[in-house]
Amino acid sequence: GAVVSQHPSWVICKSGTSVKIECRSLDFQATTMFWYRQFPKQSLMLMATSNEGSKATYEQGVEKDKFLINHASLTLSTLTVTSAHPEDSSFYICSAAGGRTIEQYFGPGTRLTVT
Amino acid sequence: QQPVQSPQAVILREGEDAVINCSSSKALYSVHWYRQKHGEAPVFLMILLKGGEQKGHDKISASFNEKKQQSSLYLTASQLSYSGTYFCGTGNYGGATNKLIFGTGTLLAVQP
């Protein structure tokens, strides 16, 4: 299957600071990338869909000014959590899809802890 | 709107079989099955497209009944490595932009 990487794998930051998470498709061109958030013992909740070169589409209830998504190339999307607060602490996972396939391949996830 | 999975949790002995169901209230184009181990990202298992197909590899197979808006994942002769949380992801249309809505999850524990 396709390989998707995420960086960093975990981050601890202070309340009020911003954190950037990178998602890269390593061996295929990802026309679409998805960002999910997962709280402990819960399912994955889709935050937004990003297509290369265009603005991201956010799910209802997700603040687009707080969670900035950029999909600058066919292999890289970034999620920036701005002015992070403790309630933003979660497991953030990206997935990528592209080409003739509609399978989504997930990155390893980033665990964010805001103190 | 979130697909409902059943059962919520199941405990098996090695070698036993299990069925995990995924039911949606919306018309489906595709159903994607994933397994997630604790602290890790979901791992893709298989995808089923509308047409009522059935798929499988090794001892894991799945079916998709688009009329009933349901899919089932079948695990036969379970192994310890099958332990984890299983999620179905449902898509409403084709193409790479097909966003998935993930089900409630089923925790599977396989014991020796």
Side-chain angles (χ1 to χ4, degrees), chain A residues 29-48:
Chain A
Q29 293 188 324
T31 51
T32 306
M33 287 185 171
F34 304 87
W35 287 95
Y36 296 86
R37 181 167 52 182
Q38 186 177 35
F39 292 107
K41 297 187 179 180
Q42 293 188 20
S43 185
L44 291 86
M45 299 304 294
L46 179 66
M47 298 175 67

Side-chain angles (χ1 to χ4, degrees), chain A residues 31-32 34 36 38 42-44 46 51 59 91 93 97-98 102-104 106-108 111, chain B residues 2 29-30 32 34 36 39-42 44 47 49 87 95-100 102-103:
Chain A
T31 51
T32 306
F34 304 87
Y36 296 86
Q38 186 177 35
Q42 293 188 20
S43 185
L44 291 86
L46 179 66
N51 294 296
E59 293 300 301
F91 192 46
I93 317 174
I102 64 170
E103 289 97 333
Q104 288 186 29
F106 282 83
R111 190 161 302 282
Chain B
Q2 181 179 30
Y29 177 84
S30 63
H32 308 227
Y34 292 85
Q36 184 180 31
E40 300 178 8
F44 175 76
I47 180 174
L49 303 179
F87 292 101
T97 57
N98 180 28
K99 69 179 187 181
L100 299 181
F102 279 83

